[in-house]
Amino acid sequence: MRKHLSLLMEQNRLSPADLVEPQRSPVKPANRFSLQESSATDSTASRLANRIDRNVAAIPEAGTDDPTVSATTLAEYTFCPRAGILTHEKSYSDPEEEMPSLSLLPWYEKDAIEEAYGRSVYELFWLLVAFVVGLVVLSILPLPNLAYLLLMFVGATAWLHFTRNALVTWRELGKRRLSIRMAVQRDPNPNKLVPQPVDWFGLLLAGYEARRPEGVLRDEKRKLVGKPRRILQKGGMTIPVHRINKTDGKILPQHVVRVIAHCHLVEATEGTHCPFAIILFGNTYKGITVPNTVGNREHFYSMLERVRKMINDSKDGERQPPAPAVASMCQECPHGRPRPASEADKTIRYNEPLDPYLLVNGRRTIFHCDCGDRFRWKPEHRANQRLRRPS
């Protein structure tokens, strides 16, 4: 036996301590699923997962000469490189709100909506009282017929104006209040890699807390900025929320790039986990999640590098972004929408006005647009079809 052991040690270069069986302490039933064992198992599973999953290359830090890029510029560049360049050169940033109508009314906060709805009902009540009082006063005033008719006309016009506005406000707030009452708790699974339908007030019922970003989020190392409409917080998760004007529920590539940029900014500035972003549709509370997956992050990194290179090349005059390959992309683009030419309304590039690229219609009215002024061409916008270059 000793000869056999010495032969094994010599062949495998083992020490005597390696051949000693480690002592095993008995496992008590109460400690069978202890926290330490669970942590060790999770750690092993995590290591195995990292061997299988394709790792995402970390986003590189920006160079000294690289420009600061906004999430809006990334989205516009994804839609059309020329739109991205125009957005960057005009220093356009994310707007405070993206509401199709009645943007001054509360939208995201339940308590604010309930309070505003109560005020609108109160206002309608006093408008009704004012109408009755006005009729009584007019009936007892000894006025000539002409003065009586004039006063009645002015009073009725003013009353109808304020009443119409109050009714529109009351109706809109009523719709939002109804959405609150009909909301059903909906908590999206953060581990799902596919989009999930959501409802804003359903998220609030599920325990998410909403807040408005105090300012623009900045990642100074990557020179990236952006501002979500709202930020949802639950546990260790932070979820950026963006709203688009589309109401058909169709998500386009530029929407995905923007919200994944918001996910990166939230994680970089707040140090929290961001498994997905949320996009709300138009003037509704319906939306969808955009998972912060490996593929989406890689696409965001790629677009960030490409837009930086295009901005530098365009600024140095080496290369300009080409025109869209599909003319239909320009038909509704705001950068190509014509407007009457005037000295006070010029296209601005890096705070410097550009000479207009003039177009005229059949009445010899002069027009121009941002994209035409910047790239010296006639965009295929729907309103440009009957315009031509002056002879």
Side-chain angles (χ1 to χ4, degrees):
M1 180 66 71
R2 282 196 294 270
K3 183 177 180 181
H4 181 65
L5 291 175
S6 60
L7 181 61
L8 287 175
M9 293 169 58
E10 182 178 355
Q11 290 179 351
N12 298 289
R13 297 180 181 179
L14 301 176
S15 63
D18 296 325
L19 301 178
V20 179
E21 183 179 2
Q23 295 182 356
R24 298 181 181 179
S25 57
V27 179
K28 298 180 181 180
N31 297 331
R32 187 171 297 172
F33 299 103
S34 64
L35 182 61
Q36 292 181 353
E37 280 191 44
S38 177
S39 300
T41 305
D42 293 343
S43 177
T44 303
S46 179
R47 290 198 303 270
L48 292 175
N50 288 336
R51 294 176 188 173
I52 298 172
D53 294 342
R54 180 162 50 94
N55 293 326
V56 185
I59 178 173
E61 296 186 4
T64 306
D65 298 331
D66 286 336
T68 299
V69 177
S70 69
T72 303
T73 298
L74 278 176
E76 291 291 315
Y77 182 87
T78 305
F79 169 71
C80 170
R82 290 190 170 184
I85 295 297
L86 284 166
T87 302
H88 175 76
E89 293 178 347
K90 293 168 63 177
S91 301
Y92 179 80
S93 59
D94 290 341
E96 289 296 321
E97 294 291 344
E98 245 182 27
M99 290 297 302
S101 62
L102 299 174
S103 59
L104 297 179
L105 298 180
W107 180 261
Y108 297 94
E109 294 77 22
K110 294 192 295 185
D111 294 340
I113 291 174
E114 291 285 355
E115 182 180 354
Y117 180 80
R119 286 198 304 268
S120 68
V121 174
Y122 188 74
E123 184 178 353
L124 284 174
F125 170 76
W126 282 109
L127 283 170
L128 180 60
V129 171
F131 176 77
V132 175
V133 171
L135 289 180
V136 172
V137 170
L138 286 175
S139 63
I140 62 177
L141 283 178
L143 296 175
N145 291 338
L146 182 59
Y148 179 82
L149 292 175
L150 180 61
L151 184 60
M152 186 174 64
F153 174 78
V154 172
T157 302
W159 185 85
L160 287 173
H161 172 74
F162 288 109
T163 302
R164 178 184 177 277
N165 292 341
L167 283 172
V168 170
T169 300
W170 170 77
R171 182 183 178 186
E172 180 63 27
L173 288 171
K175 290 180 180 178
R176 301 181 188 184
R177 187 168 175 262
L178 183 62
S179 298
I180 297 175
R181 300 296 178 88
M182 299 183 63
V184 178
Q185 178 176 329
R186 182 169 294 180
D187 192 358
N189 185 350
N191 298 318
K192 273 196 173 183
L193 303 182
V194 295
Q196 305 170 71
V198 295
D199 175 82
W200 174 255
F201 292 114
L203 292 168
L204 299 185
L205 289 175
Y208 285 88
E209 296 182 0
R211 58 185 170 89
R212 185 173 183 171
E214 296 180 357
V216 176
L217 305 180
R218 297 180 179 274
D219 183 358
E220 299 294 348
K221 292 184 178 180
R222 280 85 182 181
K223 292 188 176 180
L224 180 70
V225 298
K227 185 178 181 181
R229 297 294 166 271
R230 289 295 187 274
I231 292 178
L232 292 173
Q233 189 86 34
K234 184 178 181 181
M237 297 188 304
T238 304
I239 311 299
V241 180
H242 180 64
R243 178 181 296 280
I244 61 177
N245 290 327
K246 295 175 66 66
T247 58
D248 56 5
K250 186 177 180 181
I251 300 297
L252 300 177
Q254 58 263 32
H255 304 145
V256 175
V257 169
R258 184 197 293 261
V259 296
I260 296 301
H262 288 164
C263 287
H264 170 81
L265 287 168
V266 165
E267 291 181 333
T269 56
E270 302 191 8
T272 54
H273 179 47
C274 184
F276 57 86
I278 290 177
I279 293 179
L280 299 178
F281 302 127
N283 199 16
T284 73
Y285 287 106
K286 302 299 180 183
I288 197 169
T289 64
V290 178
N292 191 12
T293 61
V294 171
N296 286 339
R297 291 197 301 272
E298 287 185 338
H299 184 56
F300 155 61
Y301 299 162
S302 173
M303 296 305 298
L304 182 59
E305 292 180 357
R306 289 166 60 182
V307 73
R308 279 193 183 131
K309 186 176 187 310
M310 181 61 72
I311 288 172
N312 288 330
D313 291 347
S314 176
K315 189 174 183 179
D316 297 338
E318 297 180 3
R319 184 168 62 97
Q320 300 299 333
V326 182
S328 60
M329 294 176 58
C330 298
Q331 290 185 356
E332 302 295 336
C333 179
H335 301 288
R337 182 183 296 114
R339 61 183 186 272
S342 67
E343 290 295 330
D345 185 16
K346 289 189 175 182
T347 301
I348 303 299
R349 183 189 183 215
Y350 295 124
N351 299 321
E352 294 292 334
L354 296 177
D355 293 332
Y357 187 82
L358 300 179
L359 301 172
V360 297
N361 60 9
R363 300 178 181 179
R364 308 298 296 177
T365 305
I366 302 176
F367 295 87
H368 73 125
C369 64
D370 291 342
C371 192
D373 297 344
R374 173 63 179 85
F375 300 105
R376 317 308 295 174
W377 74 309
K378 174 187 170 182
E380 298 294 332
H381 192 277
R382 193 183 307 275
N384 279 338
Q385 294 179 357
R386 297 184 178 181
L387 302 182
R388 56 181 176 80
R389 287 284 290 168
S391 55

